[in-house]
Amino acid sequence: MDGQVIKLTRGTPPTSTFPTGKIAECASAVLAQHGDEVLQYGPSRGFLPLREELARETNTKADQVILGGGSLNLLDLFIRLVVKPRDWVFVEKPTYDRPLILLRRAGARVRGLPMEEDGLNTRYLTQRLEEGVRPVFLYVIPDFQNPSGTVLALEKRHRIIELARQYDFWIVEDLPYRKLRYRGDEVLSFLEMAPDRVLQMSSFSKLISPGLRVGHLIVPEPLAGPLAKIAEETTINASYLNQAIVYEFIERGWLEPQIEELKVTYQPLLDATLASLEDHMGDLATWHRPDGGFFVGTMLNAPVDAGVLQQKAHEAGLLLTDGRTFFPDGDGDRFVRLPFCALSEREIDEGIAGLAGVVRSLG
Ligand SMILES: Cc1ncc(COP(=O)(O)O)c(C=O)c1O
């Protein structure tokens, strides 16, 4: 491995994909046209033209669109608004690790819904609801889930909406990878199917640059005022300058080609990951075969302690995220998330071969 560490840890985009020159052009245009507005404090919902653009795209009203310093910041605000200590919140199992941290901080009780090839197990969800557990909301990443890579099947989305109406809980859908589909057809989003029940969060972090910290939350009308208020009390407003840069980027017609370029860059890396898994891990693990996104979720066949696995991998020049961080209840020892977008094909193959060696040495 040439003495270099291969990082199979955070799912960040490679810096080579950042459209730095174009962002500079947008920044200078925005400062020339809207300098006074974007350098001043503003209403907490954010830069109106971008909110109008997102409202058009999602068939909602600009008032329902709240911009934040990344989407995670808005999820935190929503949790502060609706979750009291000991309230139940349902998540997928595994799920993105940071919302688990936010929920724990709020004192929520978190129930993980086991994942299947086509997304969360809706029978399990139904049983928990029939037993009388009443979540305030379900947090779900329906498209190319972080960390498993799965897409939630349309029939399951319908069933979840039915249950949300029957048992009166919100659905929070988180879609940062939705537009990074390398093959196959898009599935209807929850927001498209049930705008009165759904909060949709997403961001430009994976499409333009995470450093801009421009995320959004689209909320049913009754929640918009209270969320805008808590946003104002917490951060006053997120960066109008960055929001206006994103708006300008879209206005100039640069977002679609940027996304197309990302797909051309990432698809071969996904294919390389799947091929390397076949070559090296066929007898050691099972994995999901995603059609998009940033991650391939892998489950090792044999029991292993995640801490030991991480340590041994480190000694072999490989950084792994502890699989347990994605599970609300401490499971996840055998789970390995493989982010592929920021690695070269060579690093992917060497990394997966190295991982196979470590797993064999523990077996
Ligand atoms: C599922 C999911 N949600 C939210 C985020 C954070 O997004 P943002 O940069 O908009 O805060 C990430 C980042 O990796 C993610 O994977």
Side-chain angles (χ1 to χ4, degrees), residues 134-156:
R134 291 285 172 272
V136 180
F137 71 91
L138 164 67
Y139 169 73
V140 56
I141 308 160
D143 297 303
F144 315 122
Q145 201 238 15
N146 179 6
S148 68
T150 50
V151 170
L152 183 60
L154 182 63
E155 317 80 70
K156 288 187 166 183

Side-chain angles (χ1 to χ4, degrees), residues 51-318:
R51 288 171 39 226
E52 286 172 341
E53 174 65 34
L54 291 166
R56 264 194 302 280
E57 204 183 296
T58 54
N59 204 18
T60 54
K61 296 186 184 139
D63 257 8
Q64 294 172 256
V65 181
I66 302 181
L67 304 176
S71 58
L72 200 61
N73 160 239
L74 294 163
L75 179 64
D76 189 29
L77 296 178
F78 175 63
I79 290 172
R80 287 183 207 206
L81 182 69
V82 298
V83 175
K84 297 185 300 305
R86 297 197 55 73
D87 277 350
W88 281 104
V89 175
F90 286 177
V91 301
E92 296 156 305
K93 180 172 118 173
T95 187
Y96 178 39
D97 48 348
R98 290 184 195 273
L100 293 177
I101 299 169
L102 300 181
L103 289 167
R104 274 188 211 115
R105 191 189 291 160
R109 289 186 282 179
V110 179
R111 176 64 65 108
L113 310 173
M115 288 294 266
E116 301 172 318
E117 271 296 293
D118 61 351
L120 68 89
N121 182 329
T122 44
R123 269 169 296 109
Y124 184 90
L125 169 61
T126 310
Q127 284 160 8
R128 298 294 77 76
L129 292 164
E130 284 173 355
E131 280 166 13
V133 186
R134 291 285 172 272
V136 180
F137 71 91
L138 164 67
Y139 169 73
V140 56
I141 308 160
D143 297 303
F144 315 122
Q145 201 238 15
N146 179 6
S148 68
T150 50
V151 170
L152 183 60
L154 182 63
E155 317 80 70
K156 288 187 166 183
R157 296 183 194 215
H158 281 302
R159 176 72 183 134
I160 292 167
I161 291 168
E162 231 172 68
L163 292 168
R165 292 199 197 288
Q166 185 179 349
Y167 292 98
D168 192 20
F169 59 88
W170 300 109
I171 299 166
V172 176
E173 67 170 345
D174 187 4
L175 305 177
Y177 307 102
R178 181 172 173 85
K179 291 186 177 167
L180 295 174
R181 175 178 276 283
Y182 315 135
R183 39 185 170 248
D185 297 326
E186 207 170 70
V187 183
L188 281 176
S189 72
F190 278 104
L191 185 69
E192 285 168 303
M193 292 190 276
D196 56 318
R197 270 284 139 195
V198 174
L199 292 90
Q200 184 179 89
M201 57 188 270
S202 191
S203 84
F204 296 93
S205 294
K206 304 294 167 14
L207 304 180
I208 303 180
S209 132
L212 288 170
R213 308 308 297 130
V214 179
H216 49 96
L217 184 64
I218 300 169
V219 304
E221 283 183 287
L223 288 176
L227 260 170
K229 181 165 180 290
I230 199 168
E232 185 183 344
E233 288 163 359
T234 313
T235 56
I236 306 179
N237 60 268
S239 165
Y240 269 51
L241 175 56
N242 293 3
Q243 293 163 11
I245 289 172
V246 167
Y247 174 71
E248 185 70 20
F249 197 90
I250 296 171
E251 268 299 286
R252 290 178 178 221
W254 288 347
L255 185 59
E256 290 313 317
Q258 163 78 7
I259 293 174
E260 287 312 309
E261 263 181 57
L262 293 177
K263 291 185 194 174
V264 169
T265 306
Y266 294 153
Q267 172 164 1
L269 301 174
L270 168 60
D271 292 340
T273 304
L274 296 174
S276 295
L277 280 165
E278 289 294 343
D279 287 349
H280 305 296
M281 302 278 292
D283 56 335
L284 298 174
T286 54
W287 56 89
H288 186 72
R289 288 173 180 69
D291 288 334
F294 267 49
F295 307 102
V296 176
T298 308
M299 194 60 88
L300 302 177
N301 295 337
V304 59
D305 177 289
V308 174
L309 178 68
Q310 228 185 342
Q311 179 57 35
K312 293 287 174 201
H314 196 192
E315 286 163 20
L318 205 58

